[in-house]
Amino acid sequence: MPPAFRNETNPVPVAPLAKDLRVYNTATHSVEVFKPILPGRVGMYVCGATVQSSPHIGHIRAAVAFDIIRRWMERLGFKVTFIRNVTDIDDKILDKARAAGQQWWERAYIYEREFTHAYEALGVQAPTYEPRATGHIDEMVELIQRLIDAGHAYVVYDEEGRPTGNVFFDVASWPHYGELTGQKQNASTSSGADGRIDATWDADSTVTDVMGPSVDKAGDDKYNPIDPADYSPDKRDPRDFALWKASKPTDPSTARWKTPFGEGRPGWHIECSAMSHRYLGDMFDIHGGGLDLRFPHHENEMAQTRAAGWRTANVWMHSAWVTAKGEKMSKSLGNGLSVPAVLAQNSPWVVRYALGSVHYRSMLEWGDQTLAEAQAAYERISNFIARAGEVLGGQPTREQVTDVDAAELPEDFVNAMNDDFNVSGAIAAIFTMIREGNKSLGGFAQALATKPNSPEEAEHVDSQRKQATDKLAKNLLMVRAMLDVLGLDPLAQPWMDSETAGRNGSAGKSSNAEAEHKLLDKMIGHQLKAREAARKARNFAVADTIRNSLTAMGITIEDGRDGSTWSLQ
């Protein structure tokens, strides 16, 4: 049965503000007004994980970035069909499984689950569909045959004329190759002895200068490790890339598929062309992924998709790297931080904030300072939400938070998000609203402390209290609604356990109070852990600073044999 995105064409009403959304298109190197192919509907394909081992922070940064993009589009009213694939068969999975004494599919599933748990822990919404490469072999074989028939791919035969299982894309047959990254074939070409065109490349773009004409050339690119299959002497041109790869002697029988062009398994690039077409059709709105996928993966994907007669994505988007001491974070470079290890030392909210608070196209330097700033943001945000809820006698329900229309949000927040998802500007708008909310809290306290001396004064004081209460309630709702767009509302899942979140959405003040207490407990508990760690390290100055800070907030700390406890003064 065809997927909903390909089957539904009825227009979907969106907020008027949606027409102002601007997006940076990697293919055109410019910021463009976003115009969906189908009114009100967005088809989005984001390259997911190769599930060879545990997820690291660099992987999850892209997932958080595109989750925020999706959330804002949905807040504008778009109906988003979001596809995120899983690469569950490739050389690394096979090699690591064999070394560990595992079945390759066993290893793939173990780490697919780890990625899923990491996504869930960091509040990344589940995709509409999450197809696995091995579930779409038929579509890949059909696409490869389509390319062969069109003259854009060739099968390698052995000396006896039998297909070997190796199929390569014929780059020279596709004059548009290089259009995503700005690489162009030189107008001056020469013919070899076999009459084939020997095309050279114009190094006329920064992408070409940095990455070279092809990662298949001699040498290695530490940011884009070369697929050994692309070194094959059977290739007609060094730039050609594998669509289908012949089985290796070490490949188990379960990792071999029989095809008209020989037994083997898919190349890396072909899966995304096949699956994006399967779920989103000949042309869709957005293709996303990490910056390191731009070349060669997305360049090759665009070439084979278009050469097959399809139109590929309308907009290409790429999130920048996470760096550690200026170097791209990756497993191959040995500097990747696993998500479980990071979450063992930091709350998930803090990690998501650290990953999502920088514009998606900006490099994110990861370190203690990044996490410290995220923790400080959490304390400032959660403190305001808890205090405002206490004064108002409860929190807005989750339904009230999610029902806030984009047009109701503060203008500076909307303008920032519509400007290519400028989360830095959006977060600045959130803290501006928190400052206003703290002023409202002060106004409420002042009005509460005022002792009227006459009925007229009493009426005036009541009016002041109502105004302060109404303003504070609006401040609180707007802060939580803006945070919700970024996946950071502290009173939403997964930050609150599902039971409390469910009650908070429908119950009254008692459940709201319980939710607020849990929020305070999480915030203060983190501080108490930091204080205990400082005391164990005999850093008593830091321990005293934390205690004094909590005391100033009206929190009493009691140290006991089993640890520290807290209570409100």
Side-chain angles (χ1 to χ4, degrees):
M1 188 172 183
F5 183 79
R6 297 180 62 183
N7 203 34
E8 296 179 7
T9 57
N10 293 332
V12 174
V14 296
L17 295 167
K19 65 178 174 53
D20 298 323
L21 177 61
R22 299 177 302 281
V23 177
Y24 182 84
N25 187 350
T26 305
T28 62
H29 308 289
S30 63
V31 176
E32 306 169 355
V33 174
F34 179 72
K35 296 179 180 179
I37 297 167
L38 301 175
R41 299 181 184 275
V42 175
M44 196 169 179
Y45 185 98
V46 174
C47 287
T50 298
V51 286
Q52 54 169 306
S53 52
S54 297
H56 65 65
I57 288 298
H59 293 136
I60 302 300
R61 194 267 170 103
V64 170
F66 285 101
D67 184 61
I68 292 171
I69 289 168
R70 174 188 182 179
R71 285 172 181 266
W72 179 240
M73 287 187 156
E74 290 176 338
R75 186 68 63 144
L76 288 172
F78 290 111
K79 182 176 175 57
V80 179
T81 299
F82 189 95
I83 312 299
R84 184 181 65 218
N85 73 302
V86 175
T87 300
D88 60 342
I89 181 75
D90 90 328
D91 285 290
K92 292 178 181 178
I93 294 172
L94 290 166
D95 293 344
K96 290 184 177 182
R98 185 171 59 256
Q102 298 170 304
Q103 297 284 354
W104 66 270
W105 45 262
E106 174 191 6
R107 185 179 186 88
Y109 184 69
I110 288 170
Y111 290 110
E112 180 184 336
R113 294 300 301 155
E114 276 204 21
F115 270 88
T116 299
H117 292 323
Y119 295 143
E120 291 173 347
L122 294 174
V124 176
Q125 298 178 112
T128 311
Y129 305 100
E130 192 167 27
R132 296 186 182 102
T134 54
H136 296 77
I137 298 296
D138 288 347
E139 287 93 336
M140 295 183 219
V141 171
E142 290 173 6
L143 173 54
I144 293 170
Q145 190 62 57
R146 185 184 181 100
L147 289 167
I148 293 170
D149 294 343
H152 296 301
Y154 55 92
V155 180
V156 176
Y157 295 90
D158 63 18
E159 293 177 354
E160 298 179 5
R162 294 173 300 193
T164 62
N166 283 321
V167 184
F168 293 97
F169 183 85
D170 188 353
V171 170
S173 75
W174 185 248
H176 306 290
Y177 186 82
E179 61 189 330
L180 177 63
T181 54
Q183 302 179 68
K184 300 176 182 178
Q185 293 192 42
N186 196 303
S188 61
T189 58
S190 60
S191 297
D194 60 357
R196 290 185 54 78
I197 294 176
D198 178 19
T200 56
W201 296 85
D202 283 329
D204 63 348
S205 73
T206 56
V207 174
T208 304
D209 293 340
V210 172
M211 295 185 177
S214 172
V215 295
D216 298 341
K217 63 185 176 64
D220 197 3
D221 177 348
K222 64 183 179 180
Y223 295 143
N224 293 281
I226 301 169
D227 185 339
D230 287 332
Y231 276 133
S232 172
D234 296 326
K235 293 200 300 183
R236 297 175 180 174
D237 187 304
R239 297 166 297 153
D240 295 351
F241 55 89
L243 300 174
W244 193 259
K245 300 195 282 190
S247 299
K248 297 183 297 184
T250 55
D251 290 348
S253 60
T254 53
R256 301 164 182 252
W257 286 266
K258 293 183 178 180
T259 73
F261 24 87
E263 187 178 77
R265 51 193 169 83
W268 177 30
H269 315 299
I270 197 69
E271 66 177 89
C272 288
S273 290
M275 289 191 285
S276 63
H277 183 263
R278 166 67 179 85
Y279 290 94
L280 297 174
D282 282 11
M283 188 174 188
F284 52 96
D285 297 286
I286 295 172
H287 195 312
L291 183 63
D292 50 336
L293 298 181
R294 181 174 55 173
F295 190 90
H297 182 50
H298 287 166
E299 187 70 77
N300 292 351
E301 185 186 340
M302 175 184 275
Q304 67 196 12
T305 299
R306 292 197 60 213
W310 302 334
R311 293 181 293 173
T312 194
N314 198 27
V315 175
W316 290 74
M317 300 179 69
H318 294 90
S319 60
W321 297 325
V322 176
T323 59
K325 297 180 181 179
E327 187 81 347
K328 179 200 170 192
M329 187 178 288
S330 72
K331 286 191 181 75
S332 61
L333 298 181
N335 61 356
L337 287 173
S338 76
V339 173
V342 173
L343 291 178
Q345 301 295 324
N346 303 275
S347 75
W349 192 101
V350 166
V351 175
R352 178 174 175 115
Y353 183 96
L355 290 171
S357 59
V358 175
H359 190 273
Y360 76 94
R361 287 194 288 117
S362 297
M363 298 298 179
L364 170 60
E365 176 66 18
W366 191 262
D368 292 341
Q369 182 64 29
T370 306
L371 291 165
E373 291 172 358
Q375 178 62 36
Y378 175 73
E379 291 167 4
R380 186 176 174 190
I381 289 168
S382 58
N383 184 43
F384 167 71
I385 291 174
R387 290 175 60 213
E390 184 178 356
V391 167
L392 294 170
Q395 291 282 343
T397 65
R398 278 292 297 154
E399 286 81 0
Q400 288 174 317
V401 171
T402 57
D403 285 348
V404 173
D405 188 84
E408 300 175 68
L409 294 170
E411 184 178 2
D412 48 352
F413 180 89
V414 172
N415 289 342
M417 291 303 292
N418 267 348
D419 183 17
D420 193 32
F421 312 99
N422 179 6
V423 291
S424 299
I427 287 173
I430 291 172
F431 284 117
T432 295
M433 184 61 69
I434 287 176
R435 284 195 296 272
E436 292 179 7
N438 285 327
K439 290 180 181 178
S440 298
L441 279 167
F444 183 89
Q446 183 178 2
L448 195 65
T450 302
K451 305 292 185 182
N453 296 317
S454 65
E456 291 79 10
E457 286 187 14
E459 184 177 349
H460 178 67
V461 168
D462 286 343
S463 175
Q464 284 184 318
R465 289 174 180 169
K466 185 178 185 309
Q467 290 177 10
T469 300
D470 291 346
K471 187 173 182 180
L472 179 60
K474 183 176 181 181
N475 290 148
L476 178 57
L477 179 60
M478 289 299 107
V479 166
R480 285 190 54 195
M482 288 186 286
L483 287 168
D484 190 58
V485 169
L486 304 182
L488 290 170
D489 177 12
L491 296 179
Q493 293 182 14
W495 323 122
M496 304 295 292
D497 63 81
S498 58
E499 181 183 357
T500 301
R503 289 198 305 270
N504 190 48
S506 58
K509 294 181 180 179
S510 61
S511 59
N512 281 327
E514 182 179 351
E516 292 160 26
H517 183 84
K518 279 183 172 284
L519 176 63
L520 275 173
D521 191 50
K522 286 185 177 183
M523 178 188 75
I524 297 169
H526 186 86
Q527 292 291 85
L528 292 180
K529 287 181 181 178
R531 178 171 174 264
E532 181 62 22
R535 293 173 70 187
K536 286 182 178 178
R538 305 188 66 79
N539 193 342
F540 297 113
V542 171
D544 290 341
T545 298
I546 294 173
R547 183 185 186 112
N548 293 339
S549 174
L550 292 171
T551 300
M553 294 169 57
I555 296 163
T556 299
I557 303 301
E558 294 289 337
D559 295 321
R561 180 177 300 176
D562 298 326
S564 301
T565 59
W566 67 273
S567 61
L568 294 174
Q569 295 177 357

